[in-house]
Amino acid sequence: MKFVSYNIQYGIGQDGRFDPDRIAASLSGADVIALQEVTRGFSRNGHADLVAVFSAAFPDYSCAFGPGCDVLVDHQMVDGRRIERRFQFGNMVLSRFPIRATRNLLLPRMRTYDRLNLQRSALEAVIEVPGEGQGEALRVYSVHLDHISPDERIAQIAFLKERAFRYLEEGGALTGINEFDLPDPPLPADFVIMGDFNMEPESAEYLTMAGRKDAYYGRVARTGFAIDAEARIGRPADGYSWISEDGARRMHLDYCFLSGGLAPRLKAARVDLSALGSDHFPVWIELA
């Protein structure tokens, strides 16, 4: 299975051009896609409905969208009916396989007074994937953390890890569903957490997510911490996943993290630096 995470910056590329088609083309071949900075009603891209755009680009995929922000832009009366235009900003998951259940997790945040601070979120999707016999399932999270405060990112990671590692105990999106005459969705232990974490490797936030290195053993897969897929494969020392508008700064901000149970299945991890559809680059992993 091939997974890819891409912060699409509202569909606007490094050249300032809004072109969701080239973004979709750069995601070709992925079985599961996690997108961040997916918008509806945003003036910078002509108020495009990017949820509809990418759903149409992958018509045979299941899709889910979770907005962190949802605010009124304007409204008008048309034929006696109130029509609203709303600004939504959030995350999306598209899957070649059925999405059995979703949750939109709103992450902790604190009000700011002089810098933009959006409500951040993580979209959780339980995906039914092919396997032997009755098949299996896993959880996929499309995540976007705060961009200005390490303290806020640490709090958001702590919240996200609690949901990820206590998933079986909490029961996911819904339990006792038989009262609605529906079959119980699966409760998979394993997960893939993908997205724009706005943190650099070995930062305080990163250590909260992945744990500290031992001087001799390095990082050992263990419960309570997630595994950085690219680091496990071998991330280049000069690797990056984001580039500033003027090209002067390059940082590694985007990751695919795995639960320990998936670590033996990791086959490949890379950043696609040829993609030009955003200021970020797609991060790919492949699992057996």
Side-chain angles (χ1 to χ4, degrees):
M1 289 184 64
K2 294 181 179 180
F3 299 73
V4 61
S5 176
Y6 198 3
N7 179 328
I8 61 171
Q9 193 186 221
Y10 343 119
I12 299 173
Q14 298 167 33
D15 53 6
R17 183 160 55 94
F18 174 65
D19 188 351
D21 289 340
R22 66 178 170 182
I23 291 174
S26 70
L27 302 171
S28 178
D31 296 303
V32 179
I33 300 167
L35 303 179
Q36 301 86 45
E37 294 197 16
V38 179
T39 61
R40 285 170 161 158
F42 191 25
S43 60
R44 294 186 190 176
N45 59 16
H47 302 96
D49 184 344
L50 291 182
V51 178
V53 167
F54 287 105
S55 296
F58 296 90
D60 55 340
Y61 283 51
S62 294
C63 67
F65 173 65
C69 300
D70 185 336
V71 298
L72 181 66
V73 176
D74 54 37
H75 63 88
Q76 58 182 318
M77 297 299 294
V78 178
D79 297 329
R81 181 182 178 187
R82 180 187 176 100
I83 304 298
E84 294 186 346
R85 180 160 55 183
R86 307 191 68 84
F87 169 71
Q88 293 184 329
F89 177 100
N91 308 308
M92 193 169 181
V93 172
L94 299 110
S95 170
R96 192 187 304 276
F97 312 110
I99 297 176
R100 293 288 304 277
T102 66
R103 287 193 299 178
N104 192 37
L105 305 174
L106 300 182
L107 303 177
R109 63 182 288 268
M110 294 294 290
R111 178 183 179 184
T112 57
Y113 292 93
D114 57 358
R115 294 299 298 269
L116 173 70
N117 188 13
L118 298 162
Q119 173 64 61
R120 304 298 176 137
S121 60
L123 179 61
E124 174 190 270
V126 178
I127 296 177
E128 189 176 286
V129 297
E132 296 181 2
Q134 298 298 314
E136 56 183 326
L138 58 80
R139 285 174 282 141
V140 170
Y141 296 81
S142 182
V143 177
H144 191 192
L145 301 189
D146 179 70
H147 68 297
I148 58 174
S149 170
D151 295 316
E152 190 149 301
R153 290 193 290 272
I154 287 173
Q156 291 171 344
I157 288 171
F159 176 88
L160 180 61
K161 286 176 59 180
E162 189 171 16
R163 301 289 74 72
F165 287 104
R166 294 185 59 197
Y167 182 81
L168 297 181
E169 178 184 345
E170 293 179 349
L174 189 64
T175 51
I177 196 173
N178 58 298
E179 292 192 23
F180 290 163
D181 301 320
L182 294 169
D184 281 315
L187 294 175
D190 284 320
F191 58 78
V192 179
I193 302 178
M194 303 186 286
D196 176 6
F197 284 74
N198 277 310
M199 65 186 184
E200 293 189 272
E202 306 306 322
S203 63
E205 313 95 278
Y206 183 94
L207 297 181
T208 301
M209 188 70 182
R212 300 179 183 180
K213 284 183 178 180
D214 180 79
Y216 185 80
Y217 293 102
R219 285 190 176 90
V220 176
R222 63 194 308 146
T223 188
F225 293 98
I227 296 166
D228 179 353
E230 194 184 4
R232 189 175 180 90
I233 290 293
R235 177 166 41 240
D238 59 350
Y240 60 95
S241 68
W242 170 86
I243 187 169
S244 62
E245 187 174 342
D246 61 4
R249 296 190 68 192
R250 300 181 180 189
M251 303 171 71
H252 198 291
L253 304 178
D254 304 82
Y255 302 83
C256 294
F257 288 101
L258 308 175
S259 58
L262 292 178
R265 295 168 55 179
L266 179 63
K267 297 298 180 184
R270 64 184 176 90
V271 178
D272 178 10
L273 297 178
S274 68
L276 301 176
S278 170
D279 59 341
H280 289 252
F281 299 93
V283 179
W284 289 77
I285 65 168
E286 184 174 348
L287 299 180

